[in-house]
Amino acid sequence: LQQMNDKRKYVAMFRKYLLLYVGIALIVVPVVLVFSPLIQLFKKEFIYSVGPLQILSLSLPFFFLTSLLQWHFIIRGKIKFLLPLYGGALLLNLTLNFIFIPQYSYYAAAVTTGICEALVFVIMLWYFRKAV
């Protein structure tokens, strides 16, 4: 908040957090992909959750980056942009889940969650780049 009125400092700080989040995602995603089968050590039946967990882990970069962009929009008072965006993502996710979960089970839920988060990220990034 202290840097929001100094564009140069704000962009530098934003870039620093962007690189931090991308770095974290580049570490976490491979770790989850490689070590998720170990979840069965807690309970054997957890083996069925490995595939969906791995699918969800692929969308982690979007989760990290939408969080950063979301806070940018909140700081800038763009709540009226965020509400319909997340409302639309919710409706899209529900619709896709109703269509695909009956046939593809919880794998569909993992995929549709990632798709919706990626879409939110792309829209936020487009709006962010347009405004900056």
Side-chain angles (χ1 to χ4, degrees):
L1 288 172
Q2 293 173 349
Q3 309 299 333
M4 74 181 267
N5 293 324
D6 184 337
K7 186 175 181 176
R8 187 180 59 78
K9 287 182 181 179
Y10 183 79
V11 168
M13 183 188 65
F14 190 89
R15 186 171 287 134
K16 178 177 80 171
Y17 281 106
L18 175 72
L19 293 173
L20 174 68
Y21 287 172
V22 167
I24 291 170
L26 289 175
I27 293 168
V28 172
V29 170
V31 168
V32 172
L33 288 172
V34 170
F35 292 106
S36 57
L38 297 177
I39 199 167
Q40 67 181 321
L41 296 176
F42 295 106
K43 192 172 182 181
K44 191 172 182 159
E45 292 81 14
F46 285 176
I47 192 68
Y48 300 113
S49 65
V50 171
L53 178 60
Q54 290 174 328
I55 292 168
L56 281 172
S57 75
L58 297 174
S59 63
L60 279 174
F62 298 120
F63 286 105
F64 285 126
L65 296 174
T66 56
S67 174
L68 179 62
L69 289 169
Q70 175 187 0
W71 281 109
H72 164 78
F73 292 123
I74 290 170
I75 289 169
R76 297 292 180 195
K78 303 291 185 189
I79 301 294
K80 290 182 180 178
F81 163 69
L82 291 174
L83 289 174
L85 176 61
Y86 277 106
L90 170 68
L91 290 175
L92 176 62
N93 195 306
L94 286 173
T95 302
L96 292 173
N97 282 336
F98 278 120
I99 293 170
F100 293 109
I101 285 178
Q103 185 173 359
Y104 299 105
S105 185
Y106 44 81
Y107 283 91
V111 171
T112 60
T113 298
I115 289 170
C116 290
E117 194 66 29
L119 182 62
V120 166
F121 171 71
V122 167
I123 293 169
M124 280 186 172
L125 185 62
W126 174 79
Y127 192 78
F128 174 78
R129 291 186 55 107
K130 188 176 114 177
V132 171

